[in-house]
Amino acid sequence: MADPIHQFEIVNLVPLAKIGSTELHLTNSALFMIVAVAITGVLMLGTTAGRQIVPGRLQSMAEVTYEFVADMIRSTAGEQGMRFFPLVFSLFTFILFANLVGIVPYTFTVTSHIVVTASLALLVFLTVIVYGLYSHGLGFFRLFVPHGIPGYILPFVVLIEIVSFLSRPISHSVRLFANMLAGHITLKVFASFVAGLGTLGAVGWAGASLPLIMVVAITALEILVAFLQAYVFTLLTCIYLNDALHPGH
């Protein structure tokens, strides 16, 4: 059976520089981050450079993506949330295309590494804190004091709110990382069953039909999860940004 973990190994591809004893390389992870950004650039810039009144398929896809993210922001953070549109849109498209590219055989799924998803989650977390303090000053801390709570349990509620707030980057990052990691491991395991049984002749071919069906089904599920996890990560981002805009709500 093929090692299902091998697909997540970071591989140095091209040496870039050496600083003291530290060597900098272009890795497979960095390469596919660049690929995800390039696909986003082609979709949004290439398809809208020559905009038409009657859009073609790619232009329609770009416009639908734009409206989808814009509607998500307005429904969770209000019209004021549109000031964060560049951040939210960049997160959505990057995660979506990184997830989808990672499904292609012999590619690399950057969102299957906790260091990547944690970096994105910390970016959102710090944006909420910095913008909240910049806009509201100490009033930002009203976020931890819900309205209508009796005074005798208020300290406990505030403590729970603070712990919940500080745990956001953990849940935000682990959800995406765990889903992509688990899905790819499962897909690799069933694919190895197909390859292994296929070497046993006619009987093996018959036996490989079930895991082959599972591979097809899991691949379809992985495509759905790629969209769903990009949506969930972005939706939570909008909800968290709403706290920076309206900490007293």
Side-chain angles (χ1 to χ4, degrees), residues 11-20 22-31 34:
V11 178
N12 294 331
L13 300 178
V14 180
L16 298 178
K18 185 174 182 179
I19 304 175
T22 302
E23 295 185 359
L24 302 179
H25 291 79
L26 175 68
T27 65
N28 52 349
S29 179
L31 175 62
I34 295 172

Side-chain angles (χ1 to χ4, degrees), residues 29-214:
S29 179
L31 175 62
F32 284 101
M33 289 184 196
I34 295 172
V35 170
V37 173
I39 293 175
T40 302
V42 170
L43 175 64
M44 300 309 300
L45 299 178
T47 59
T48 58
R51 293 187 295 273
Q52 301 176 356
I53 297 178
V54 180
R57 293 180 180 178
L58 291 179
Q59 183 180 334
S60 296
M61 184 184 303
E63 293 177 356
V64 167
T65 305
Y66 179 96
E67 288 299 328
F68 177 76
V69 176
D71 289 342
M72 190 191 315
I73 295 174
R74 294 190 185 102
S75 63
T76 53
E79 194 63 36
Q80 287 182 321
M82 287 300 292
R83 67 190 62 184
F84 293 108
F85 179 84
L87 171 63
V88 177
F89 186 85
S90 298
L91 287 172
F92 176 76
T93 52
F94 175 79
I95 294 172
L96 175 61
F97 290 126
N99 291 349
L100 291 176
V101 168
I103 300 175
V104 179
Y106 304 106
T107 61
F108 184 84
T109 310
V110 298
T111 49
S112 64
H113 278 251
I114 187 65
V115 66
V116 175
T117 59
S119 298
L120 298 177
L122 283 173
L123 172 63
V124 175
F125 182 71
L126 293 176
T127 299
V128 171
I129 293 176
V130 172
Y131 185 85
L133 291 174
Y134 171 78
S135 299
H136 306 284
L138 295 180
F140 173 68
F141 294 107
R142 294 197 306 270
L143 178 66
F144 306 121
V145 186
H147 294 296
I149 300 298
Y152 63 92
I153 64 169
L154 184 59
F156 300 100
V157 174
V158 170
L159 178 61
I160 292 173
E161 290 292 329
I162 293 174
V163 172
S164 175
F165 181 81
L166 294 177
S167 67
R168 284 180 178 182
I170 300 174
S171 60
H172 204 187
S173 59
V174 169
R175 182 181 291 104
L176 174 59
F177 149 75
N179 276 277
M180 301 312 298
L181 182 74
H184 281 59
I185 289 177
T186 305
L187 186 60
K188 184 78 171 184
V189 168
F190 279 99
S192 66
F193 287 157
V194 176
L197 292 172
T199 63
L200 301 179
V203 175
W205 298 342
S209 60
L210 180 58
L212 178 60
I213 294 173
M214 290 300 298

Side-chain angles (χ1 to χ4, degrees), residues 183-247:
H184 281 59
I185 289 177
T186 305
L187 186 60
K188 184 78 171 184
V189 168
F190 279 99
S192 66
F193 287 157
V194 176
L197 292 172
T199 63
L200 301 179
V203 175
W205 298 342
S209 60
L210 180 58
L212 178 60
I213 294 173
M214 290 300 298
V215 167
V216 175
I218 293 172
T219 301
L221 180 61
E222 280 287 272
I223 295 174
L224 175 62
V225 169
F227 282 94
L228 183 61
Q229 288 305 312
Y231 169 74
V232 170
F233 192 97
T234 310
L235 180 63
L236 289 174
T237 297
C238 294
I239 294 173
Y240 297 158
L241 292 172
N242 179 61
D243 290 338
L245 293 166
H246 312 105

